[in-house]
Amino acid sequence: MSTPELIKSDVPREFVADHTVERNQRPMIDGPNKFKFAIFGANVSTGQGGLTLAENTIKLGNWDEVRGLAEKADVYGVEGFIPIARWQGLSGPDRPWGRQHETFTWAAGLAAATRNIQIFATCHVPFVHPLMAAKMSATVDHISGGRMGLNAVAGYHQPEYKMFGLELPEHDKRYEMAEEWMTIVERLWSDEGEEFEFDFDGEFFKLGGAQAYPKPVQSPGPMVMSAGASPAGQKFAFQHANILFIMVADVNNSKPVTQKVRANADEAGRPDLDLWAGVHIICKDTEKEARDYVKYVVDEKGDWESAVRYQQIIASGDARSMRWDDFKRNEDFKKDESIRTFMRAGLVPLVGTPEMIVEGLQKLSDAGIAGVCTGLVDYDEGLDRLNEQIFPLMRSAGLRA
């Protein structure tokens, strides 16, 4: 019986990849494109294309579906691939967001399948111990060769807290926990030499002899993204994030929002902090086609029950006692702009021709936005349109290299 010849690695045994790539030189921050793009939410059924039962949304039926989208985005030069952190659907497993991939393992799988794109994990701080988060992040950073990103989320969704047997703390308390959590993660990414381990005695976490090796490939650690409009949320981002995801309600009135956050960041000593926004892009060859598709996605196929349930959860913390039949008797709720906002998952709508989409992106850029996380209804078609129609126009406008 013959023994198969072993394939030997050409990497020297003494080679250690810890801290060999500068985080600030990664494409999402320092790439050639003035205006950056990330694909958002391709880890849950229907993705961030809205709460809709439209055809050709993400089904999350097999891994090749998601991997193919990541590989396509990678080839097209998209800078980032960012998941949302969901642990349960709004109205059941066969409805929007009813199936969810856990984001660290999702990121590890996609890190191995791509070459250039920044792959993020989105982490609910209360649900994942900081030692685990630091260790998993460093592992994905090694798998990807220094392309890991961490989207740190303080948490807000009370039904998911109940799943974990936890009480939802009041708003600012959640950010106090996040501050301790992120401080520990950053120390685990960076402390070495004589300080290879440390004790931590905080209000929320108590660690003895904490250490994590190997260190990440990125120095001083993986890229960090955060979202927060409140003073507590912004303070957390100013202390720990490289990118702050801000809420913009309308591209035509985005400048006052971004100018205020920009001034706050600069005052906090963070002129280097990039501001990003979330957009929901529906692009068709004509404006009429785009408007008709919105009617199809929202008015015909929209999961209004999930949108109302989402609104109820945010308002009261729980929607299990909500009686959907009571809402259905009077369809005036469909005219409620707040419910329609929940229908598109809070993202800013950009609807129209490629030229109209780029015009909206230009307004965001002029307002001080460095990049967008975009949700798509049909991610496969949307990525093709991004590459074939939108990116060329952005290059002509000076937004892409």
Side-chain angles (χ1 to χ4, degrees):
M1 182 175 179
S2 61
T3 302
E5 183 178 350
L6 296 177
I7 299 175
K8 294 184 179 180
S9 169
D10 59 0
V11 178
R13 286 182 177 271
E14 66 274 12
F15 175 77
V16 176
D18 300 14
H19 292 163
T20 53
V21 172
E22 288 298 320
R23 177 174 64 192
N24 289 339
Q25 295 177 1
R26 298 283 77 194
M28 278 189 67
I29 293 178
D30 192 38
N33 297 313
K34 177 182 178 182
F35 197 86
K36 313 295 197 299
F37 253 89
I39 301 301
F40 199 26
N43 69 302
V44 297
S45 52
T46 72
Q48 281 290 78
L51 301 176
T52 180
L53 302 171
E55 294 182 356
N56 299 325
T57 60
I58 292 175
K59 301 297 187 288
L60 225 65
N62 64 77
W63 179 243
D64 285 349
E65 176 189 26
V66 175
R67 185 183 65 183
L69 295 175
E71 290 173 338
K72 179 177 281 193
D74 193 30
V75 170
Y76 288 168
V78 174
E79 281 87 0
F81 215 66
I82 303 172
I84 62 172
R86 283 270 70 88
W87 294 90
Q88 64 169 240
L90 293 163
S91 302
D94 58 342
R95 303 281 279 279
W97 298 357
R99 296 163 67 88
Q100 321 89 20
H101 280 156
E102 187 282 318
T103 67
F104 281 98
T105 47
W106 177 89
L110 296 181
T114 54
R115 297 179 62 86
N116 301 297
I117 196 168
Q118 197 96 23
I119 303 291
F120 277 72
T122 299
C123 182
H124 273 126
V125 165
F127 306 156
V128 181
H129 193 278
L131 182 58
M132 283 294 298
K135 192 73 173 176
M136 291 188 292
S137 297
T139 300
V140 178
D141 210 35
H142 277 261
I143 294 170
S144 67
R147 293 182 287 117
M148 167 68 185
L150 178 64
N151 182 18
V153 181
Y156 71 95
H157 211 247
Q158 185 158 299
E160 293 179 336
Y161 273 78
K162 289 181 178 179
M163 282 179 63
F164 282 86
L166 301 173
E167 293 295 325
L168 177 67
E170 60 91 14
H171 179 275
D172 286 6
K173 205 70 173 176
R174 301 200 294 270
Y175 277 102
E176 291 175 16
M177 173 183 281
E179 169 64 28
E180 279 192 16
W181 188 94
M182 199 70 229
T183 297
I184 293 168
V185 168
E186 289 172 341
R187 287 194 64 178
L188 289 165
W189 284 343
S190 59
D191 282 10
E192 51 191 333
E194 294 183 358
E195 298 180 348
F196 72 94
E197 65 178 16
F198 63 90
D199 297 337
F200 188 91
D201 186 15
E203 179 181 355
F204 304 96
F205 299 101
K206 299 183 185 298
L207 286 69
Q211 57 178 283
Y213 287 86
K215 298 302 180 185
V217 175
Q218 291 175 82
S219 179
M223 187 178 301
V224 177
M225 172 179 273
S226 178
S230 68
Q234 288 190 18
K235 180 182 177 182
F236 174 81
F238 298 159
Q239 291 176 336
H240 300 288
N242 308 105
I243 293 172
L244 173 58
F245 183 84
I246 65 175
M247 299 303 294
V248 175
D250 179 4
V251 296
N252 295 311
N253 298 305
S254 55
K255 186 169 288 187
V257 177
T258 55
Q259 285 181 335
K260 182 177 181 180
V261 178
R262 179 78 272 159
N264 291 343
D266 292 348
E267 185 178 352
R270 291 300 311 278
D272 61 314
L273 181 68
D274 282 344
L275 305 182
W276 281 49
V279 296
H280 184 247
I281 293 179
I282 290 181
C283 179
K284 298 295 180 183
D285 294 334
T286 68
E287 183 177 0
K288 182 180 184 305
E289 286 180 287
R291 300 294 176 191
D292 287 346
Y293 191 65
V294 171
K295 290 179 182 178
Y296 162 73
V297 169
V298 177
D299 297 322
E300 295 180 31
K301 292 291 187 176
D303 187 348
W304 290 96
E305 181 181 354
S306 290
V308 171
R309 192 175 297 278
Y310 196 8
Q311 184 197 52
Q312 294 289 307
I313 289 170
I314 299 304
S316 66
D318 199 345
R320 286 179 294 178
S321 62
M322 186 192 87
R323 294 177 59 86
W324 174 236
D325 287 341
D326 293 342
F327 279 92
K328 286 195 297 183
R329 292 191 186 97
N330 182 357
E331 291 201 352
D332 284 347
F333 71 88
K334 291 186 177 181
K335 301 175 184 177
D336 187 330
E337 184 54 37
S338 68
I339 293 177
R340 296 182 78 89
T341 299
F342 280 104
M343 180 74 77
R344 60 175 182 268
L347 302 179
V348 183
L350 283 179
V351 178
T353 64
E355 291 80 5
M356 294 170 68
I357 302 300
V358 174
E359 181 182 352
L361 296 173
Q362 181 70 66
K363 290 177 180 178
L364 289 173
S365 178
D366 292 343
I369 296 295
V372 290
C373 302
T374 181
L376 302 163
V377 180
D378 183 338
Y379 278 71
D380 200 43
E381 183 211 29
L383 277 165
D384 289 340
R385 286 187 179 272
L386 197 65
N387 180 61
E388 297 166 11
Q389 297 179 319
I390 295 173
F391 279 176
L393 291 174
M394 292 181 71
R395 294 186 190 103
S396 298
L399 294 174
R400 305 279 293 182

